Amino acid sequence: MRLSRSVVFVLALALALPGAAAAAEPADAIYFGGPIVTVDDNRPTAEAVAVKDGKILAVGEKAAILSAHGGKEVKLNDLAGHTMIPGLIDAHGHVLGVGLQSISANLLPAPDGTVNSIAQLQQTMRDFIAASPVVKKYGLVIGFDYDDAQLVEHRHPTRDDLDAISTELPIVVTHQSGHLGAYNSRALELAGMTAATPNPQGGIIRRRDGGDEPNGVMEENAHFTTLMKLLPKLGEEQIAALVSAGAETYARYGYTTAQEGAAMVAWAHAMEKPESRGALKIDVVFYPTIALLGDDPIMSSPLVSRRYDRHYRIGGVKVVLDGSPQGRTAWLTQPFYKAPDGQKQGYAGYGALTDDQLKALFARAYRNNWQVLAHSNGDAASDQLLRTVEAVSREIPGDDRRTVLIHGQVLREDQIDRIKALGLSTSLFPMHTYYWGDWHRAVVLGPERAQNISPTGWFLQRGMTFTSHHDAPVTFPNSMRVLAATANRTTRSGFVLGPQHRVEPLIALKAQTIWAAHQYFEESSKGSIEPGKLADFVILSDNPLTLPREKLADIQVLETIKEGQSVFRAAAQKGEVTPICSDSPVCARHFLAWRATQLTRAAHSPLVAQFGPPPHIHSGMGE
């Protein structure tokens, strides 16, 4: 049967209309009334989005969307001039670590905390000991994220500094990189660390001057093994509570997908029970540490999948090749600009594994078709990674593995071409330019090498994509600061570090949305606002594509929507005070800003049932 010209014309016109669908059907909700940044190159902006059954039904002009998908029962959401973007995807972080951070003392320096000297660190720890139910329950004191680069003393706290807080309770304070820690004498005693304890492979026990007695500072594997000896054995419910708390914090910053990028085997087992995942409101992907897997069957679980079960899946495995550049434990081909305490000039850090050890781990992963996240900061570590991937790929061929080089802080330009040839994904850390850019220039790498940390410009020159991350709890999972640092590369002092690597805000946004979705093998369901994809959105106070780029870090997340359901709404928390702070007007005014990682709805948090409410501390707030 031949169609008349008029019928053909009408059909063609209908198909050409923005947001047109094969058959109109009422939506569950329609969003309109503000800029909609789709991150879809085929339709970069839209006036309205229709949602049904947790997925995007249509995207296009407001009139067409309302006409085709409106109705009496459809919820109309007016953005009131605010901006909608796709749900943000955590390219690398540690969601359980964020949960653990929320029940530990906050030792972050400004702007995320108040600890800028060892004296302030000591007072914060004393206040925490006095108030925290966790200390009373477990008899261990943990402080998170001191930074020797920002302490006025420009050194790590020692056992003597921590003994001044307490000699009876074991005390651990972790460096903001997560790759070093300081322990008091009681903690060292309980861990069995003495003058006779040798350095482990891939780690250093720092010693007192002129002797072998540990001075309390542990690097890399020395820190990790000591910490594991001291941490209490958490039950499955407690682990699940920490994951849920971390995910809730992520949602406050606009993330609809979070990662635990170095999961312990016990953590992964704790999430196997359906009830352990019941409190999750955003997607969480675990990557167990392959070096610690042993013969454990966890990687044979049906949760090792590209599909989520109650917002959870295991995406692959993690391997660590070296340490931290700001902590000066990364593995470089050229020496650090200034050697750390206890090392001579010419010191260039060290690797965590031998070539044979790393090759064996990659061979195991590739044989099992596990995606690998490879922590590699220094260029010597990246050299080791590249030659390992080249060798193992020849022995065990495979397609589209999307092995991820994590961090790549000190990548050389010649290495970028090898990364492209091997088809690796790369998750860079340009947020470092803000937090440690000045430190890199003055201490870690020197002015010349420092300008090329997280070299996004070299990737774009070659037509390559990258993702951008925060590595929380190294920093807060502050998505807008990630965006700002990726676009601006401005240090704390206001210096633009490596202007050749600045990118447009849209590129910075893609690195947290569609390019991050591709890293996870999820580009068909996430990362952009397109029909058929999940209705994962973020509502922002301002449009990152039109706001002056120097103000990007000031953008506020107003609402986070996961599969059509609101999982965070800032307006609902305005003026809200946790029950333990209800008697303090100062705490009521400042609690949200000062303890940003604490959950403000303490009475409803899974952490409260497991660990008690967060401590009521006012130090640094005028009381």
Side-chain angles (χ1 to χ4, degrees):
M1 181 181 69
R2 297 182 62 186
L3 298 175
S4 68
R5 288 185 178 180
S6 59
V7 171
V8 172
F9 175 78
V10 169
L11 288 174
L13 180 63
L15 292 173
L17 282 172
E25 60 177 313
D28 294 330
I30 296 175
Y31 295 84
F32 62 90
I36 297 173
V37 180
T38 67
V39 196
D40 173 12
D41 290 339
N42 295 318
R43 183 189 280 128
T45 61
E47 292 182 353
V49 176
V51 172
K52 187 175 182 64
D53 298 330
K55 292 186 177 182
I56 299 169
L57 180 62
V59 181
E61 295 178 355
K62 177 182 174 182
I65 296 294
L66 289 174
S67 175
H69 306 292
K72 291 182 179 180
E73 304 300 321
V74 177
K75 183 179 181 181
L76 300 180
N77 296 289
D78 189 340
L79 298 174
H82 298 128
T83 299
M84 174 187 279
I85 65 171
L88 297 168
I89 297 172
D90 173 24
H92 181 64
H94 305 275
V95 67
L96 188 142
V98 172
L100 184 61
Q101 184 183 42
S102 70
I103 58 168
S104 305
N106 177 7
L107 303 182
L108 286 164
D112 301 321
T114 60
V115 176
N116 293 287
S117 70
I118 288 176
Q120 289 174 335
L121 181 151
Q122 290 169 325
Q123 188 57 51
T124 298
M125 294 297 287
R126 292 186 186 105
D127 291 340
F128 181 78
I129 290 170
S132 173
V134 178
V135 174
K136 296 177 177 65
K137 183 173 181 178
Y138 293 105
L140 175 67
V141 188
I142 301 176
F144 250 81
D145 286 355
Y146 77 87
D147 185 5
D148 61 315
Q150 300 305 316
L151 296 177
V152 295
E153 296 86 356
H154 279 173
R155 67 172 178 83
H156 296 270
T158 65
R159 67 191 295 173
D160 298 323
D161 296 319
L162 301 182
D163 284 349
I165 302 168
S166 175
T167 56
E168 297 178 358
L169 288 166
I171 298 175
V172 182
V173 295
T174 65
H175 186 257
Q176 195 170 353
S177 68
H179 286 257
L180 302 93
Y183 299 76
N184 73 343
S185 295
R186 180 58 176 156
L188 293 172
E189 177 187 353
L190 291 174
M193 306 298 289
T194 69
T197 306
N199 289 334
Q201 180 188 344
I204 290 176
I205 302 169
R206 294 194 182 181
R207 315 283 176 167
R208 292 187 188 274
D209 291 341
D212 294 326
E213 192 70 21
N215 74 357
V217 180
M218 304 284 176
E219 299 180 7
E220 301 298 336
N221 285 340
H223 166 51
F224 302 144
T225 55
T226 305
L227 184 60
M228 289 301 105
K229 291 177 182 177
L230 295 172
L231 285 178
K233 302 298 183 184
L234 300 178
E236 292 180 352
E237 291 183 359
Q238 293 165 324
I239 291 169
L242 291 173
V243 174
S244 178
E248 187 168 339
T249 299
Y250 269 77
R252 293 166 60 86
Y253 290 101
Y255 288 98
T256 51
T257 302
Q259 179 187 114
E260 177 42 66
M264 302 296 292
V265 173
W267 303 351
H269 279 298
M271 299 301 292
E272 285 186 291
K273 293 181 179 179
E275 56 266 31
S276 296
R277 309 188 293 277
L280 292 178
K281 297 179 181 179
I282 67 171
D283 291 338
V284 173
V285 189
F286 264 38
Y287 289 84
T289 302
I290 188 171
L292 302 178
L293 278 180
D295 296 326
D296 193 277
I298 190 63
M299 294 304 292
S300 298
S301 162
L303 292 169
V304 180
S305 172
R306 292 181 187 162
R307 293 181 177 273
Y308 290 89
D309 184 324
R310 298 194 181 192
H311 294 299
Y312 173 80
R313 69 183 179 94
I314 298 176
V317 292
K318 170 73 172 292
V319 62
V320 177
L321 280 73
D322 71 339
S324 153
Q326 73 270 34
R328 287 178 285 177
T329 59
W331 187 17
L332 310 178
T333 57
Q334 300 297 317
F336 285 99
Y337 194 59
K338 295 181 181 179
D341 292 344
Q343 300 291 344
K344 298 178 181 178
Q345 282 302 117
Y347 166 78
Y350 49 91
L353 300 164
T354 67
D355 280 10
D356 287 344
Q357 289 170 330
L358 185 62
K359 186 177 178 181
L361 294 177
F362 262 86
R364 182 182 183 187
Y366 281 9
R367 287 192 187 99
N368 287 283
N369 198 31
W370 298 336
Q371 185 185 28
V372 181
L373 306 187
H375 167 116
S376 176
N377 264 312
D379 61 332
S382 295
D383 280 337
Q384 185 187 41
L385 173 63
L386 294 173
R387 63 177 176 263
T388 300
V389 172
E390 287 169 346
V392 178
S393 295
R394 284 194 299 268
E395 296 176 10
I396 310 171
D399 295 324
D400 198 21
R401 285 173 165 144
R402 301 190 196 180
T403 298
V404 187
L405 191 161
I406 299 290
H407 305 318
Q409 289 285 58
V410 196
L411 284 170
R412 304 186 309 270
E413 189 167 10
D414 65 280
Q415 292 175 321
I416 312 301
D417 295 314
R418 294 174 66 192
I419 290 170
K420 184 175 184 179
L422 289 168
L424 300 186
S425 298
T426 307
S427 187
L428 298 171
F429 201 176
M431 202 176 186
H432 248 257
T433 58
Y434 172 76
Y435 279 98
W436 294 285
D438 296 323
W439 182 245
H440 283 306
R441 293 179 69 231
V443 175
V444 179
L445 298 171
E448 184 176 347
R449 278 186 295 169
Q451 69 172 334
N452 291 317
I453 61 171
S454 289
T456 50
W458 290 344
F459 282 79
L460 294 180
Q461 287 170 11
R462 291 160 173 79
M464 300 167 66
T465 63
F466 59 88
T467 62
S468 187
H469 63 260
H470 45 65
D471 202 18
V474 170
T475 66
F476 288 153
N478 187 334
S479 57
M480 293 300 104
R481 193 170 287 285
V482 175
L483 184 79
T486 308
N488 295 327
R489 297 180 66 94
T490 304
T491 71
R492 292 175 190 260
S493 69
F495 183 84
V496 176
L497 186 63
Q500 69 274 25
H501 298 300
R502 298 178 93 191
V503 303
E504 291 302 314
L506 177 59
I507 295 296
L509 186 59
K510 285 184 175 183
Q512 293 187 82
T513 53
I514 189 62
W515 293 349
H518 182 272
Q519 178 183 300
Y520 281 103
F521 296 90
E522 296 184 33
E523 67 273 19
S524 64
S525 61
K526 292 179 181 176
S528 58
I529 300 177
E530 299 181 61
K533 290 193 174 184
L534 296 177
D536 292 357
F537 310 128
V538 186
I539 311 300
L540 301 176
S541 60
D542 300 276
N543 187 344
L545 305 190
T546 59
L547 192 71
R549 58 196 300 159
E550 64 272 13
K551 295 183 179 181
L552 289 173
D554 298 329
I555 296 175
Q556 299 297 307
V557 172
L558 302 180
E559 187 172 7
T560 304
I561 298 159
K562 174 63 180 163
E563 296 175 34
Q565 301 299 313
S566 181
V567 294
F568 167 75
R569 185 179 290 118
Q573 299 199 7
K574 185 177 181 181
E576 188 173 320
V577 179
T578 60
I580 56 171
C581 297
S582 58
D583 295 330
S584 168
V586 174
C587 200
R589 288 196 305 270
H590 296 285
F591 187 83
L592 286 178
W594 185 72
R595 296 289 290 179
T597 58
Q598 295 286 10
L599 301 178
T600 58
R601 298 177 182 178
H604 307 291
S605 167
L607 286 181
V608 174
Q610 298 299 328
F611 302 100
H616 190 182
I617 304 172
H618 294 152
S619 74
M621 297 195 294
E623 288 193 359

